[in-house]
Amino acid sequence: MPLDKAGESGTAYWIVKEEIKMAVILIKNALVLTFEKDTLSGEIIENGAVALKDDLIAEIGKSPELEKKYSGADRILNADGGIVMPGFIVTHTHMPYVLGHNMPVDFTQLKSFWDMLQKMGWEWLEDITTGEGIYAATRYAAAKMLKSGTTTVCDLVEAPNVLPGGGRPLDYSIRAIDEVGIRAQVGYEVTARIPGVSILEKLDPEMAEKGFEENIRILENIPKESSGRIHGRLGVHTAYTNSKETLRKAREIADKYGCGIQIHIAEIPRVFLVEKFGKSAPMVLEETGLVGSDMVAAHCIDLNDEDLEILKRNGVNISHTPLTNSFGGNGMARVPEMLEKGMNVSLGHDCFFTLDVSEYIRYAYLVHKAHNANPMLIPPFQVMDMVLSNAAKALGMENSIGSLKEGKKADIIIIKPDSPTPVNASSVISYFTMTFQGRNVDTVIVDGRIVVDEGRLTTADEEEISRNCILEAKKLWRKNGIEV
Ligand SMILES: [Zn+2]
């Protein structure tokens, strides 16, 4: 189906295609990190191997034994002593934001987070994003994330001007994700905001209804039980861009489809919501019944003790996004306290900066030490849990991804470290926070399919993806009056 017809015929073409998988793959000569439970207790196997059968992990063990047993494998990958581990999981992204990377806008207009949201987030990006832009940017983001070791994302699509004409933004998004081969949960952002109109002046429940329809279309087409790589996760923008009725309806839909919710909480100063509603975001969300353990909440910055308690008692999963929060001058989420309270904290990145997960790992590892003047905060294993087991749990996928275990999904990466010192069983955890870079990822397997082979994307033409993305970025930039 030609792209310009996407969404018009009602054909769910993204679930039709049968993926080509290798039957049996053996990865040998590896420093295997299972990351089972957490990285303190997770097993490290020197001279290890992992055997994959179809889309699942068949066996984990010592290399000589598995080499003998799987000598007839369809493909044998030699890790050359490198690291073999589960793929990284990022719990909050907006892949179409890639079109705004390096956009030469007037940053002097961005004096507060409020400006940042209204201008950078809405006016200059989301409100002028097209279906073709979503497709181009999502392909680019998925390709770069895969190449640097991210195998699963939770993406929230925001493009309010694609909806009113009957467009279907999630078709463009899902088609791109499907082609490139990353695993994803995807939702469209339900918001009553009217593009170009201040949320303080007017909200339109009709906009929210269209958003619900877009989510439901996907949730109906891809049932929760389906075994594919792509699933829906209901997207809700915030408590303050929706009515309480809308928030209540979102809970009903999430319960009906068992799909989980993704939302932004407390990225904006608490006082704004208290002035508007007399309550903070967690209070509004608890009152409307939307909070729950099936919720992934991005940001969660300006929270008082009571707010934090609400999120904890409702089992809300946090998606910590320290780079974007720093850029917006939003302050810093109370992550060490959240972890201390036993809350589930994962990592997100909004796709606002680089798509290399190593930068987010390193920043999350460092920033709380600096912010609290305490080097003991966030040890390396804790930040690794944020992009592995905690993230899998946040997405309700702890039984299938986030660690290497027989029977779990074959979402695996091989890293060939470029390090001036030995990377072995005793040094490997520090490697991730000190010198790991996405470009050290050599091979990536998702759902048993080799999607990055010796650093090369196998599923699509990377140069064509880049050219197409630049083309769409130019179109978007020109709408902002930028000559390019
Ligand atoms: Zn976001």
Side-chain angles (χ1 to χ4, degrees), residues 399-419:
N399 293 325
S400 53
I401 58 171
S403 69
L404 301 186
K405 189 181 178 186
E406 284 166 25
K408 276 195 161 187
K409 286 284 188 188
D411 286 12
I412 295 189
I413 61 174
I414 303 176
I415 300 172
K416 296 196 172 167
D418 171 17
S419 168

Side-chain angles (χ1 to χ4, degrees), residues 335-348:
V335 167
E337 286 173 77
M338 291 173 181
L339 291 167
E340 187 71 22
K341 285 174 181 288
M343 295 170 72
N344 189 42
V345 182
S346 58
L347 266 191

Side-chain angles (χ1 to χ4, degrees), residues 24 42 67 137 225 245 343 457:
V24 178
E67 277 179 61
E225 301 74 29
E245 290 71 41
M343 295 170 72
L457 191 72

Side-chain angles (χ1 to χ4, degrees), residues 127-351:
D127 292 355
I128 53 174
T129 297
T130 63
E132 288 78 8
I134 294 171
Y135 175 72
T138 302
R139 279 203 308 164
Y140 181 91
K144 296 296 176 187
M145 279 194 249
L146 277 180
K147 285 189 74 180
S148 47
T150 299
T151 52
T152 300
V153 292
C154 181
D155 198 57
L156 184 53
V157 178
E158 303 159 317
N161 279 323
V162 179
L163 276 182
R168 293 173 168 178
L170 289 183
D171 281 8
Y172 295 97
S173 166
I174 291 174
R175 182 176 170 193
I177 289 166
D178 185 39
E179 284 177 9
V180 177
I182 203 164
R183 187 183 297 285
Q185 292 187 353
V186 188
Y188 183 81
E189 174 188 273
V190 170
T191 174
R193 181 179 73 82
I194 309 160
V197 178
S198 165
I199 60 163
L200 299 173
E201 275 171 39
K202 197 179 173 202
L203 290 174
D204 178 9
E206 263 305 298
M207 286 301 295
E209 279 306 311
K210 284 180 178 159
F212 278 131
E213 280 168 27
E214 181 62 359
N215 280 284
I216 288 169
R217 203 170 56 79
I218 302 306
L219 297 170
E220 292 272 353
N221 268 303
I222 312 176
K224 185 188 166 209
E225 301 74 29
S226 68
S227 61
R229 274 188 293 111
I230 304 171
H231 283 97
R233 173 171 285 268
L234 177 63
V236 179
H237 181 228
T238 65
Y240 60 89
T241 48
N242 282 298
S243 66
K244 288 182 183 173
E245 290 71 41
T246 301
L247 300 175
R248 285 193 188 97
K249 183 169 178 179
R251 169 44 68 199
E252 282 170 24
I253 291 170
D255 286 347
K256 179 177 174 189
Y257 291 98
C259 58
I261 295 162
Q262 47 181 330
I263 191 169
H264 304 99
I265 292 183
E267 77 287 19
I268 203 158
R270 190 177 189 278
V271 66
F272 174 86
L273 274 104
V274 173
E275 273 174 21
K276 193 169 156 59
F277 292 110
K279 290 179 174 179
S280 69
M283 289 172 182
V284 173
L285 295 174
E286 189 175 54
E287 183 197 323
T288 53
L290 191 61
V291 282
S293 59
D294 60 347
M295 174 181 274
V296 179
H299 311 312
C300 300
I301 306 159
D302 194 2
L303 302 171
N304 69 12
D305 291 349
E306 195 183 347
D307 298 332
L308 215 53
E309 194 48 40
I310 290 172
L311 299 185
K312 178 181 153 51
R313 73 170 167 251
N314 287 284
V316 171
N317 302 282
I318 312 296
S319 181
H320 178 39
T321 56
L323 266 178
T324 26
N325 302 157
S326 298
F327 181 61
N330 311 45
M332 194 46 61
R334 296 161 67 181
V335 167
E337 286 173 77
M338 291 173 181
L339 291 167
E340 187 71 22
K341 285 174 181 288
M343 295 170 72
N344 189 42
V345 182
S346 58
L347 266 191
H349 64 45
D350 286 307
C351 290

Side-chain angles (χ1 to χ4, degrees), residues 17-94:
K17 199 174 70 182
E18 190 60 39
E19 290 188 349
I20 305 151
K21 289 167 188 161
M22 304 289 288
V24 178
I25 299 173
L26 178 72
I27 309 170
K28 65 176 189 177
N29 294 334
L31 180 65
V32 176
L33 310 184
T34 68
F35 286 100
E36 261 291 279
K37 293 176 191 156
D38 61 55
T39 54
L40 279 183
S41 58
E43 199 177 10
I44 298 178
I45 308 167
E46 291 183 293
N47 196 20
V50 181
L52 315 176
K53 191 165 182 213
D54 297 328
D55 58 335
L56 300 177
I57 297 170
E59 198 168 346
I60 302 165
K62 284 284 191 183
S63 201
E65 285 142 42
L66 264 61
E67 277 179 61
K68 220 177 279 173
K69 191 168 171 184
Y70 293 92
S71 61
D74 298 288
R75 177 91 189 259
I76 296 176
L77 301 170
N78 191 342
D80 294 325
I83 299 161
V84 168
M85 62 176 284
F88 296 106
I89 303 162
V90 176
T91 56
H92 184 74
T93 61
H94 305 286

